[in-house]
Amino acid sequence: MNSPTRALALTSPPHVPAPGDPRWSDWLTREELAFSYGLQRAHEHLSARKAAKEAVAQLLGLPLGPGTWHAMEVRRRPGAAPTMEFHGVLADHLRSLQLPFPAVSLTHAKGHAAALAWLPVRRAEP
């Protein structure tokens, strides 16, 4: 695999659609939209999730299209860090390559958002 070991995606306020913009449903799943809309500064949470998908796609060398956007989903369980889940053909493809699922870290402030994606390294047995 000739992909980078990590990838970063950034957004800035001039490039972030308003929370009610219909493009968000092209990029994010219903669950991601519901989670983000339930928080203050929804546009930052929406943007961070979109950035996470962009970083993962860059990391894995995937084109971003209708099938890819919804085959990835940022999940956040109470008290836990965000994780990227994969669905359908994309999940099967990653398993066939025997790749670990990428890890993600999201951040946002003052209208800006960023996401980092990387492939976890399996620790050697002691």
Side-chain angles (χ1 to χ4, degrees), residues 48-103:
R49 277 151 183 73
K50 181 177 180 277
K53 293 180 180 195
E54 291 169 342
V56 167
Q58 179 185 350
L59 176 70
L60 298 175
L62 299 172
L64 277 171
T68 309
W69 285 113
H70 284 247
M72 295 186 279
E73 185 173 31
V74 177
R75 290 291 187 112
R76 179 80 191 270
R77 288 170 180 75
T83 59
M84 183 66 75
E85 293 188 4
F86 298 87
H87 307 288
V89 174
L90 181 55
D92 295 339
H93 177 66
L94 290 176
R95 282 189 207 98
S96 75
L97 295 174
Q98 298 182 337
L99 287 176
F101 283 13

Side-chain angles (χ1 to χ4, degrees), residues 7-126:
L8 177 67
L10 306 167
T11 63
S12 60
H15 300 104
V16 177
D21 192 299
R23 290 179 289 177
W24 288 116
S25 63
D26 293 339
W27 301 320
L28 303 179
T29 66
R30 277 182 272 180
E31 291 80 7
E32 291 169 314
L33 292 169
F35 178 87
S36 298
Y37 287 139
L39 301 169
Q40 291 183 10
R41 301 186 330 268
H43 63 289
E44 291 179 8
H45 293 276
L46 294 163
S47 190
R49 277 151 183 73
K50 181 177 180 277
K53 293 180 180 195
E54 291 169 342
V56 167
Q58 179 185 350
L59 176 70
L60 298 175
L62 299 172
L64 277 171
T68 309
W69 285 113
H70 284 247
M72 295 186 279
E73 185 173 31
V74 177
R75 290 291 187 112
R76 179 80 191 270
R77 288 170 180 75
T83 59
M84 183 66 75
E85 293 188 4
F86 298 87
H87 307 288
V89 174
L90 181 55
D92 295 339
H93 177 66
L94 290 176
R95 282 189 207 98
S96 75
L97 295 174
Q98 298 182 337
L99 287 176
F101 283 13
V104 294
S105 180
L106 288 64
T107 189
H108 51 82
K110 296 185 180 180
H112 298 268
L116 176 66
W118 68 93
L119 291 175
V121 176
R122 293 185 178 108
R123 294 184 182 188
E125 295 293 320

